Amino acid sequence: MISQIGGDIYMVPDHFLYPHFTIQQFTENDLEYSINLSTTEKPDSCPYCGSSLQLSKHDNRTQRLTDIPYSNKHVRLILKRQRYHCKSCNHTFWERLDHSIDEKRSCTHRLLAYIEQRCFDETFVKIASAVGLHEKTIRNIFRDYISRLDLDSRFYTPEWLGIEVHHSRKPILILTDVKKRKVIDLLHGLEVLGPRLLDLPKREHIHIVSLPLVPVLKAVVQSSLPQATLVVYRSHIINIANSIIITMARQIKRNLSFTKREKLLQDQDVLSLPFEHLTSHNKDVIRYWEKELPVLIAAYKVKISFMNVLESDNSDEAARKYTHWKGTIPSHLQKAFEPLILAFDQWGKEIFEGIAHPAPTDYSTFVEGLIDQIAGTERGYSFEAIRAKNLLRGSTMQ
């Protein structure tokens, strides 16, 4: 853009084209662009009485504003703003800026929109540094944005409610529609679950609730949704079974040579695979360790036989298979499998109901992706930003 400023002509980037303002001065240094502006539109009537005949200039002031950064530099606007006096009603008023400027934040509307969108992907501190505003201002801008969006209105009541937990300093609860594989809300802290469930519209329409092995969640759901069938999704049980083998491998590694420790470290993921997913190479790995570490492979085979319990067609069949499997555990492996047996002792009904009501095959992948996403973005992000990102961007697997 070619602009005449005073008696000189400058090449001003189109980024600094302001429809309602005239550039009076344009300067640049290593850190920022500084632009002096004046308005091009004068008031045609008094906002108090509507008179357009007797308006006169009263005084003026200089306002400093912030705009979208350009070429990795801050952009500062210095606006000479005029005040007018209406002789008809004797009121004074400032010329309007609401077409371009947010006076609450002393920045342009386009900078506000820029900040609101970047808050989904970057920390408040990083955005503050980029635009030249205080981190607290960025946080408040995003909080106002979330309030305008009214995220709570997006919550609906599904027939099958899933509750997952991302463990951090303060746990984040992820509420999902299991059938549609869709996030419907995120809650900060276990204590807010009860009030949220009681506040659900038509909560009696929830027939099934899938939840992790967290006793406090079980008590809250039973109290808030007494009509719902509680189920523990099979992935939670599989994780316990796999952790048993991984724990044994870690304990055994301490007494191995460096070479075998490194090999076992590389191979231990194979021990978490379902038997039907083993490749010929994987089976060679199993055979190798069966010779070197027969106790570990014996435990692996117990875990593989346990998987047959989870493949049952109904809860009664699963209960029979579990009882049989429990009786086949070798005495020297009983202690290792105590965590799995304890889970069934405390959650047997919910586990067997979970087998009778299997979730969609890709639901566990969906949930794992969500938890990874939240864990990856949590550092430096507010809970509001994490929640908004998931609800507004439709965290769903179609």
Side-chain angles (χ1 to χ4, degrees), residues 6-33:
D8 301 318
I9 295 177
Y10 292 86
M11 287 296 297
V12 180
D14 288 345
H15 178 85
F16 303 110
L17 179 62
Y18 302 104
H20 300 283
F21 303 98
T22 299
I23 296 177
Q24 301 295 338
Q25 185 177 3
F26 182 90
T27 59
E28 174 187 1
N29 59 36
D30 293 339
L31 299 177
E32 68 177 28
Y33 295 93

Side-chain angles (χ1 to χ4, degrees), residues 372-388:
D372 287 346
Q373 180 192 89
I374 291 172
T377 61
E378 188 180 22
R379 182 172 296 176
Y381 289 77
S382 70
F383 169 74
E384 291 83 1
I386 296 172
R387 180 173 184 259

Side-chain angles (χ1 to χ4, degrees), residues 107-350:
C107 67
T108 61
H109 288 320
R110 67 179 188 173
L111 176 59
L112 276 182
Y114 175 83
I115 291 170
E116 289 167 353
Q117 293 307 308
R118 287 189 65 173
C119 282
F120 287 119
D121 302 305
E122 298 177 25
T123 65
F124 295 149
V125 172
K126 184 175 181 179
I127 297 170
S129 176
V131 304
L133 293 175
H134 194 279
E135 182 267 340
K136 185 177 180 180
T137 301
I138 304 299
R139 185 180 299 276
N140 290 336
I141 288 172
F142 191 68
R143 184 173 289 117
D144 288 349
Y145 178 50
I146 297 304
S147 297
R148 293 201 315 272
L149 292 172
D150 188 18
L151 294 179
D152 288 344
S153 66
R154 295 169 179 263
F155 192 93
Y156 66 94
T157 304
E159 292 183 5
W160 188 340
L161 175 67
I163 303 175
E164 302 294 337
V165 182
H166 166 58
H167 296 281
S168 59
R169 285 175 295 181
K170 190 170 185 179
I172 293 177
L173 299 183
I174 309 167
L175 307 188
T176 65
D177 182 331
V178 175
K179 287 186 176 180
K180 295 181 179 179
R181 300 174 299 286
K182 183 177 182 180
V183 176
I184 51 180
D185 206 357
L186 273 75
L187 306 176
H188 209 191
L190 303 181
E191 69 280 1
V192 299
L193 178 62
R196 190 55 162 138
L197 294 180
L198 291 174
D199 194 44
L200 290 179
K202 300 180 180 179
R203 67 178 186 275
E204 67 276 7
H205 291 178
I206 297 178
H207 300 311
I208 304 175
V209 179
S210 173
L211 70 166
L213 299 165
V214 180
V216 65
L217 295 184
K218 179 179 177 180
V220 169
V221 174
Q222 285 177 328
S223 174
S224 305
L225 305 171
Q227 82 287 350
T229 298
L230 275 56
V231 305
V232 171
Y233 190 55
R234 69 197 304 270
S235 64
H236 296 291
I237 306 304
I238 293 173
N239 288 341
I240 295 175
N242 285 334
S243 68
I244 290 171
I245 306 304
I246 292 172
T247 299
M248 285 189 66
R250 288 174 180 169
Q251 293 171 344
I252 290 172
K253 276 191 301 186
R254 301 171 185 169
N255 300 319
L256 297 179
S257 65
F258 175 79
T259 302
K260 287 187 177 180
R261 274 202 311 270
E262 290 299 302
K263 178 170 174 51
L264 184 55
L265 182 64
Q266 295 173 4
D267 292 343
Q268 69 180 21
D269 286 345
V270 174
L271 303 178
S272 297
L273 294 175
F275 185 77
E276 61 272 17
H277 292 174
L278 294 178
T279 65
S280 57
H281 172 70
N282 296 151
K283 292 176 181 178
D284 288 341
V285 169
I286 297 295
R287 282 191 287 269
Y288 170 81
W289 287 115
E290 188 168 21
K291 295 178 181 178
E292 299 292 330
L293 302 173
V295 174
L296 180 62
I297 301 306
Y300 170 75
K301 290 181 177 180
V302 171
K303 187 207 80 169
I304 291 299
S305 67
F306 167 75
M307 300 303 292
N308 186 47
V309 176
L310 303 183
E311 300 299 329
S312 303
D313 293 328
N314 54 65
S315 57
D316 290 339
E317 179 186 347
R320 289 194 301 271
K321 287 184 177 180
Y322 170 73
T323 301
H324 173 73
W325 169 82
K326 183 179 175 182
T328 63
I329 301 175
S331 58
H332 66 286
L333 294 176
Q334 289 281 345
K335 186 173 181 60
F337 281 88
E338 276 183 0
L340 191 55
I341 295 170
L342 182 62
F344 273 88
D345 289 344
Q346 297 177 346
W347 293 80
K349 180 181 177 181
E350 292 77 20

